[in-house]
Amino acid sequence: MSIDACIAHAIHSDLDILEVLPELKGMPVESLEPYIEHYILTVQQELRGIIVDNGDQFIRSKDAAGLCATCMNAGIGIPPKMLLKMCQTILQLSTIDARFILDTEEGTSLFYVKMGINLKEKAEA
């Protein structure tokens, strides 16, 4: 999966927007969408820049904590636990090769997926 897709998925699945931006609770409804959109696009661009410039060694070695520390040192203002989860998601997805094939008549998207699986890792219960 491309780094952009990995980052977008990590933001979508792991970013708690209300925890990161508590000021949203007091904002007028009509201001929420552009404010959140601007924040997410900024975070996505910053993460991409950091990962492209300084993250290759962490991606290759599957070091989520190192990637997280690098992002924190670069000024990403996301709480460490949440940022670590995002970095773990990015690393997980970076080993998946997924390609969109088509949308079916029923509206379901069909993808080709190739994954690397480490059978030596223990499953956590």
Side-chain angles (χ1 to χ4, degrees), residues 98-104 108-113:
R99 287 181 219 138
F100 174 76
I101 304 295
L102 60 93
D103 282 328
T104 65
T108 304
S109 296
L110 179 65
F111 288 86
Y112 164 81
V113 178

Side-chain angles (χ1 to χ4, degrees), residues 3 6-15 43 46-48 50-51 54-55 58-74 76 78-95:
I3 196 64
C6 294
I7 293 168
H9 186 78
I11 289 171
H12 177 74
S13 64
D14 302 322
L15 182 70
V43 167
E46 290 174 352
L47 282 172
R48 185 184 194 291
I50 293 164
I51 292 170
N54 304 311
F58 304 110
I59 300 282
R60 290 182 189 275
S61 65
K62 306 289 184 226
D63 181 3
L67 184 60
C68 180
T70 300
C71 291
M72 289 173 59
N73 288 338
I76 297 292
I78 296 173
K81 187 175 180 179
M82 190 181 308
L83 185 57
L84 178 59
K85 178 67 176 128
M86 291 172 68
C87 290
Q88 290 168 336
T89 298
I90 290 167
L91 291 179
Q92 246 179 352
L93 294 174
S94 69
T95 61

